[in-house]
Amino acid sequence: MKRIAVFTSGGDAPGMNACIRAVVRGGLHYGLEVFGIIRGYNGMIKGDIIPLNSQSVSNIIQRGGTILKSARSKEFMTPEGRKKAYDQLKAHGIEGLVAIGGNGTFTGAEIFYNEFQIPTVGAPGTIDNDLYGTDYTIGYDTAVNTAVDAIDKIRDTADSHDRIFFIEVMGRDSGYIAVQSGISGGAESILIPEERQTIDDIVLTLKNGFERKKSSSIVVVAEGDEEGQAAEVADKIKKTIDVPVDIRVTNLGHIQRGGAPSAYDRILASRLGLGALEGLLNGEKNVMAGIVNDQLIYTPFHDTITKKKLITNDLIRMVSILGR
Ligand code: F6P
């Protein structure tokens, strides 16, 4: 293998740049020519493919976002789009790919590999931490820290005004960000898709708090919770609770996707980028590089996208004991 390309796709995540840097510098170390594909699969289809050298990835390890830009490509979901992408890769002499992204990225990568057999290794880059085959995904740690910082600030004003705040965090259908930011922010209640909690359960928790003279409370709501998004949950609580309450709702939104990556994410991204590159050189294909129990492993794309990554019962148990 002489020429490879790296791209980022799907929702961006802090640490993607550190991962790109690791792929590029690792590739140069092994004597490869490394190309970058701009805007993920859309750039592959259009042939937006540029050569990268050591300088191209200087001064980016500390930057959020992705220098290669990102997109969710509808065209790549069609056979015609994928054929165009294949033709462009062939025209540029690309023999292997490193795909940095999440579920959607690897779903596309698996279909593409099955159709055209261009060896592809993934690096998990998403704030959601929802990929089977790695303990943590690139960007998750930073997103949790951003959410905790926001929760701490909201706690100040909640306390001054004796209010209940419902704070919505991202995660698509995973509750990881909610659980870890909620525990770290001392939330009274945390709603996640992985665990059923009724409106009555939350009302009971809040009322128990009042009885113990708590004047403010924080409820962290994962965007994918089955009771609905934070505004909807807050409405249901207002209608159900039979004591006077002052409620506010905050949706943290895309602030969770930006910012300088934490040291943890920079290291994780560097390990996974180099791991993906070295896997590719060692003949791995159609797999995602991940770190489980501090060991680098490769998991078939198929498993990363079809198997559910569970939240340990220990964390869930802790929430109910400590959030009193
Ligand atoms: O997958 C990352 C993520 O931020 C999810 O947590 C969220 O549901 C989604 O992307 C938002 O996507 P978009 O930026 O396209 O609105």
Side-chain angles (χ1 to χ4, degrees):
M1 199 176 280
K2 288 265 168 286
R3 189 178 279 192
I4 64 150
V6 56
F7 63 97
T8 48
S9 159
D12 62 350
M16 277 184 163
N17 281 329
C19 191
I20 296 166
R21 174 179 177 269
V23 175
V24 173
R25 297 246 165 114
L28 298 175
H29 171 80
Y30 289 109
L32 298 176
E33 283 181 89
V34 186
F35 283 69
I37 303 173
I38 309 298
R39 293 190 182 79
Y41 292 121
N42 278 347
M44 209 183 275
I45 291 167
K46 290 199 182 109
D48 207 350
I49 301 173
I50 56 164
L52 297 174
N53 57 32
S54 194
Q55 219 79 66
S56 327
V57 291
S58 282
N59 201 16
I60 65 166
I61 194 167
Q62 78 283 16
R63 281 168 54 191
T66 158
I67 58 159
L68 293 179
K69 302 204 176 254
S70 195
R72 301 187 199 278
S73 175
K74 287 214 170 73
E75 200 180 349
F76 195 76
M77 282 148 74
T78 66
E80 298 74 31
R82 292 193 293 275
K83 175 70 172 66
K84 282 188 204 166
Y86 173 73
D87 290 343
Q88 289 289 0
L89 293 178
K90 277 279 127 190
H92 285 82
I94 305 294
E95 298 163 290
L97 293 169
V98 174
I100 307 169
N103 230 289
T105 306
F106 300 151
T107 303
E110 193 196 16
I111 299 170
F112 193 58
Y113 177 77
N114 289 336
E115 287 174 347
F116 298 107
Q117 286 83 45
I118 295 188
T120 304
V121 178
T126 165
I127 62 164
D128 297 339
N129 200 30
D130 58 348
L131 290 168
Y132 179 87
T134 191
D135 287 341
Y136 292 105
T137 54
I138 298 162
Y140 170 70
D141 181 66
T142 308
V144 168
N145 278 296
T146 301
V148 171
D149 183 51
I151 293 170
D152 288 349
K153 287 173 174 148
I154 291 170
R155 172 80 70 185
D156 291 345
T157 174
D159 200 44
S160 307
H161 289 267
D162 298 333
R163 282 175 171 161
I164 302 175
F165 267 84
F166 288 80
I167 304 176
E168 182 173 315
V169 296
M170 280 188 169
R172 206 176 289 272
D173 51 10
S174 163
Y176 258 98
I177 297 179
V179 163
Q180 292 207 344
S181 64
I183 291 172
S184 310
E188 276 65 23
S189 194
I190 301 169
L191 274 70
I192 54 170
E194 290 85 351
E195 198 211 9
R196 178 105 188 93
Q197 270 216 73
T198 64
I199 293 297
D200 289 339
D201 293 333
I202 306 160
V203 167
L204 191 67
T205 307
L206 294 172
K207 284 180 74 173
N208 283 342
F210 295 146
E211 273 159 28
R212 289 193 312 277
K213 308 283 179 244
K214 264 194 190 206
S215 63
S216 67
S217 291
I218 300 280
V219 180
V220 175
V221 184
E223 65 174 342
D225 188 74
E226 68 282 350
E227 282 297 346
Q229 295 188 320
E232 205 181 323
V233 176
D235 261 2
K236 290 182 188 171
I237 299 286
K238 256 187 229 167
K239 287 182 187 137
T240 315
I241 202 160
D242 54 1
V243 288
V245 282
D246 194 4
I247 288 179
R248 292 291 185 275
V249 178
T250 303
N251 183 352
L252 298 188
H254 285 79
I255 191 173
Q256 295 160 95
R257 287 245 295 265
S262 64
Y264 181 87
D265 270 332
R266 296 179 200 193
I267 294 164
L268 182 70
S270 301
R271 278 184 89 184
L272 289 171
L274 192 57
L277 183 269
E278 291 182 335
L280 198 58
L281 288 176
N282 290 331
E284 295 284 354
K285 45 182 97 73
N286 212 14
V287 294
M288 180 193 83
I291 292 177
V292 173
N293 294 331
D294 211 30
Q295 297 299 312
L296 186 77
I297 61 160
Y298 299 96
T299 303
F301 281 144
H302 191 70
D303 289 349
T304 68
I305 55 192
T306 54
K307 292 192 176 169
K308 177 87 185 143
K309 176 156 148 184
L310 301 172
I311 294 187
T312 57
N313 280 339
D314 227 31
L315 283 182
I316 293 176
R317 193 179 65 90
M318 213 160 88
V319 171
S320 61
I321 298 174
L322 304 184
R324 284 165 52 80

